[in-house]
Amino acid sequence: MFSSELPKPILFHPLKHHLGYIIQYIRRNTKSTASEIRKDLLTLGTSQLDLYCGALSPQQVAQEVSTHLKEQELLQPEIFRDYLKEAEKDYRCITLSDTTDWVLRWGVIEGRYVHLHPARYAVYTIRVKAAALKTAIAVVIATQRYMASETDLSLINKVRKEWLDLAPVKSFRSTEGAGKMLELLLKHN
């Protein structure tokens, strides 16, 4: 599911911003090729991102945002664009039912003009580097595929090099970066 499975006008990238979706992605892709996984994970980009770890599904998030826009009479593209411009920063934040803050921006895909992502440092949200998230997702898939009993540095570097075209790492700690993400994802798989 990318935005195409969510109601219009929402543009949302759950593989980049939604822990529950990532967990489902891992379960669905244990038999996918390294090339297919790399293609998906390249969409995460190369910078930092905010990852929602709360209980709302991507569909619930999209529905709550759509309801908010409808109640505020912002469901027309021109009206929504003006609403953003009025903020003098080209985005607006709203709070959903679980108290998380979400950022609304202008979407660049036709028919999906409400670009949505979790707010930086919001409740139920963690900030993570894209390479750390890519590594963690790919390593969890590789661990299941190879039936590895543990995730050691050699497996991590094999995945980084062969699956993701990333440089190997000299160390890997469960308390930071990709190690912290890996621990989080392994807890759910």
Side-chain angles (χ1 to χ4, degrees), residues 86-106:
E86 289 170 8
E88 296 181 11
K89 51 192 169 193
D90 292 330
Y91 70 91
R92 294 282 185 130
C93 288
I94 65 169
T95 303
L96 299 186
S97 64
D98 68 348
T99 70
T100 54
D101 295 324
W102 290 77
V103 174
L104 307 176
R105 301 183 74 92
W106 182 255

Side-chain angles (χ1 to χ4, degrees), residues 42 50 63 81 93 106 114 129 132 155 158 160-161:
L42 279 175
D50 298 290
Q63 186 57 52
R81 187 187 288 269
C93 288
W106 182 255
V114 180
K129 291 183 179 180
L155 176 62
K158 174 183 175 71
R160 284 179 61 89
K161 182 180 176 188

Side-chain angles (χ1 to χ4, degrees), residues 66-147:
S66 295
T67 299
H68 171 81
L69 294 172
K70 183 177 181 181
E71 289 171 353
Q72 300 298 312
E73 298 181 358
L74 298 169
L75 278 176
Q76 296 300 318
E78 302 79 22
I79 296 171
F80 180 71
R81 187 187 288 269
D82 289 343
Y83 168 73
L84 294 177
K85 286 180 181 177
E86 289 170 8
E88 296 181 11
K89 51 192 169 193
D90 292 330
Y91 70 91
R92 294 282 185 130
C93 288
I94 65 169
T95 303
L96 299 186
S97 64
D98 68 348
T99 70
T100 54
D101 295 324
W102 290 77
V103 174
L104 307 176
R105 301 183 74 92
W106 182 255
V108 296
I109 295 177
E110 186 175 336
R112 296 197 177 272
Y113 55 87
V114 180
H115 182 185
L116 174 66
H117 59 85
R120 188 176 294 181
Y121 306 116
V123 65
Y124 306 124
T125 301
I126 58 174
R127 190 124 174 103
V128 62
K129 291 183 179 180
L133 182 57
K134 290 176 197 177
T135 299
I137 293 169
V139 168
V140 172
I141 292 171
T143 300
Q144 293 175 4
R145 176 178 297 165
Y146 302 138
M147 295 181 210

Side-chain angles (χ1 to χ4, degrees), residues 34 39-40 53 73 121 170:
K39 180 181 173 193
D40 289 345
C53 302
E73 298 181 358
Y121 306 116
K170 292 182 176 145

